Amino acid sequence: MTKNISLLGATGSIGKQTLDVARMHHIGVKALTANTRTDILEQQVREFHPELVCVVNEERAKQFKISIADTSTKVVSGKNGMTEAAQIAGADTVVNAVVGVAGLLPTLSAIEAGKNVALANKETLVAGGSIVKSELKKHSVQLYPVDSEHSAIFQCLQGCPDNALKKLIITASGGAFFGKSKEELKNVTVEDALKHPNWNMGAKITIDSATMMNKGLEVIEASWLFDVGDEKIDVVVHRESIIHSMIQLKDNAVIAQLGTADMRVPIQYALTYPERLPSPVKELDLTEIAKLSFYPPDNDTFECLEICRRALRKGGLYPAVANAANEAAVQMFLERKIGFLDIPDIVGKAVENFSSRNETISLQDILEADRETRQEILCQR
Ligand code: NAD
Ligand code: MG
């Protein structure tokens, strides 16, 4: 297989698993980027020999340059460095595994340079879906979902006629606090919220899973990826995370994608599409699992999913505002400055209080709405 990637967010959960896939299938790695954990990045540079590395923070980049001075890898930093990595010559696909809206500009840079994008960074589509979609069209490049639910839907849709889809059914694990009441959620700690039942992920998405914000972001992500409105996207809680999502067709046939919960399957499919290659992921033993369970989401206790649906229906900048408010709130929760239930409160108020000034939105509008929303929330506390 002759494939070369540029990997943004290499030191995170998705980044490391992407390199597992690259190692297994001899995929070339042209560039790597990271914000922190330069210790991990150094090991990656020594194993994969990228031409370019971007360490976002300038001071850390200077230090890093010294650490890898004996290699031929070039070190860059900052936003320009991220652009350089996203546009590096010789990479056909950019894997975006950055966390948060910081992934938006590099996604656009990659598309502009004619690269296909394997997208884990859902915040890119939540905040900038309209712009990303029009840029994809303009530059005739493809975007492949890495998020497991969206990869599952993408897999189910293969061979499905264009007009056959009735709705999407996205599964949700329910996160760390499934079944708890609001009263019980009042005093939960950061450590409690970081205990995800089925997946080992970065801190931000693990908190998002506990609040159900992750599912809200995923509904918005799905609406952009598959061109469907909020009314055609169901969410069902499925504790075992074996069915990764489903599609329902006009004749009410339902097609599901199943497998062991391991992100290396969707990562690999985004890189090898439409091919299927071997994988070290554990085979699914249905008799061992024995039972699959399903529940409706508890939207009264976990309000973020409905807040996101509201933002999606309002359209324009509202999803970007919901996302920015959530990023600020999660940051404060992780710093122990606010309680768990303050997160939906902050996100809900941000969406409620926002009034959109314009119908058609530019990248500038999105970045401004993001910055203003964040600032307002972080300054208030
Ligand atoms: P993570 O926190 O483990 O890793 C994030 C990576 O982004 C790190 O390499 C970090 O250095 C880099 N980064 C952080 N802030 C940055 C910034 N401001 N600019 C540039 N780089 C920055 O996160 P993760 O769990 O791997 O998730 C990454 C993305 O994938 C998120 O959008 C998440 O929602 C999505 N996702 C993750 C999983 C999963 O299983 N982890 C599943 C589905 C989707
Ligand atoms: Mg997901």
Side-chain angles (χ1 to χ4, degrees):
M1 182 174 177
T2 51
K3 187 164 193 82
N4 288 297
I5 59 168
S6 166
L7 173 57
L8 316 180
T11 53
S13 153
I14 295 289
K16 287 189 271 187
Q17 295 179 83
T18 302
L19 290 176
D20 279 350
V21 173
R23 184 183 297 115
M24 164 114 185
H25 295 297
H26 309 290
I27 294 172
V29 179
K30 292 275 173 191
L32 295 171
T33 82
N35 190 28
T36 48
R37 297 307 307 262
T38 44
D39 53 331
I40 298 174
L41 188 64
E42 180 171 345
Q43 286 169 20
Q44 295 176 339
V45 167
R46 294 189 185 284
E47 180 179 353
F48 291 93
H49 312 292
E51 280 169 27
L52 184 82
V53 157
C54 173
V55 177
V56 183
N57 179 280
E58 214 169 300
E59 274 311 304
R60 263 184 233 134
K62 273 188 198 150
Q63 284 300 318
F64 193 66
K65 209 170 188 170
I66 298 167
S67 313
I68 61 155
D70 60 313
T71 72
S72 58
T73 299
K74 179 182 162 192
V75 181
V76 292
S77 69
K79 278 202 176 121
N80 291 342
M82 287 298 285
T83 306
E84 209 177 318
Q87 300 192 323
I88 193 163
D92 35 88
T93 302
V94 171
V95 181
N96 190 340
V98 168
V99 63
V101 82
L104 174 58
L105 289 178
T107 303
L108 293 173
S109 304
I111 297 171
E112 197 192 329
K115 317 283 188 198
N116 289 329
V117 178
L119 188 74
N121 177 253
K122 62 193 83 185
E123 297 90 347
T124 277
L125 282 176
V126 172
S130 58
I131 288 166
V132 171
K133 285 288 285 246
S134 71
E135 286 295 294
L136 286 169
K137 211 168 162 192
K138 187 167 145 198
H139 297 278
S140 306
V141 292
Q142 302 300 317
L143 188 147
Y144 299 109
V146 169
D147 212 348
S148 60
E149 295 77 2
H150 306 74
S151 174
I153 292 166
F154 182 58
Q155 292 176 58
C156 293
L157 282 168
Q158 298 305 311
C160 180
D162 274 350
N163 59 357
L165 184 70
K166 188 167 172 186
K167 65 179 180 188
L168 309 178
I169 306 170
I170 296 183
T171 52
S173 70
F177 301 135
F178 171 76
K180 290 218 184 302
S181 66
K182 261 206 172 150
E183 196 50 40
E184 290 170 303
L185 290 178
K186 267 188 187 155
N187 296 314
V188 292
T189 64
V190 171
E191 288 70 27
D192 296 332
L194 284 175
K195 279 183 210 133
H196 194 281
N198 305 329
W199 302 94
N200 188 4
M201 311 181 285
K204 192 253 176 188
I205 185 176
T206 308
I207 302 301
D208 288 349
S209 299
T211 60
M212 289 294 276
M213 183 72 190
N214 185 47
K215 237 13 83 171
L217 298 174
E218 289 184 353
V219 166
I220 302 173
E221 181 187 13
S223 86
W224 286 114
L225 282 171
F226 306 111
D227 268 326
V228 291
D230 145 78
E231 73 291 349
K232 288 189 177 164
I233 309 175
D234 285 0
V235 171
V236 60
V237 176
H238 164 50
R239 291 297 282 162
E240 297 83 5
S241 297
I242 295 297
I243 297 182
H244 300 308
S245 277
M246 298 169 256
I247 60 171
Q248 184 167 331
L249 305 177
K250 279 193 176 151
D251 55 5
N252 289 339
V254 175
I255 304 179
Q257 190 260 336
L258 287 75
T260 314
D262 191 317
M263 287 306 295
R264 289 175 298 178
V265 175
I267 293 169
Q268 180 167 305
Y269 192 60
L271 294 179
T272 65
Y273 173 85
E275 303 287 332
R276 295 284 189 169
L277 299 184
S279 166
V281 169
K282 189 173 171 267
E283 265 184 50
L284 185 61
D285 180 346
L286 285 171
T287 56
E288 187 188 309
I289 291 154
K291 237 181 172 173
L292 298 177
S293 57
F294 304 95
Y295 307 86
D298 177 357
N299 291 327
D300 296 329
T301 308
F302 301 92
E303 295 172 29
C304 287
L305 173 55
E306 278 303 311
I307 296 169
C308 285
R309 283 189 184 278
R310 255 194 326 271
L312 174 59
R313 287 193 294 269
K314 281 172 170 274
L317 292 169
Y318 282 89
V321 168
N323 179 68
N326 180 59
E327 286 191 28
V330 171
Q331 183 191 328
M332 288 193 296
F333 175 68
L334 287 170
E335 289 166 357
R336 293 157 217 272
K337 289 179 180 155
I338 60 169
F340 183 75
L341 287 178
D342 292 324
I343 301 174
D345 199 45
I346 288 170
V347 180
K349 283 201 177 108
V351 171
E352 212 175 292
N353 296 339
F354 182 72
S355 60
S356 194
R357 293 163 288 253
N358 16 17
E359 296 268 292
T360 51
I361 56 171
S362 66
L363 179 60
Q364 202 55 36
D365 296 332
I366 295 170
L367 299 177
E368 227 164 78
D370 176 79
R371 197 182 48 242
E372 281 173 14
T373 305
R374 251 168 233 275
Q375 248 168 22
E376 211 166 290
I377 292 164
L378 293 171
C379 290
Q380 267 170 16
R381 308 263 163 173

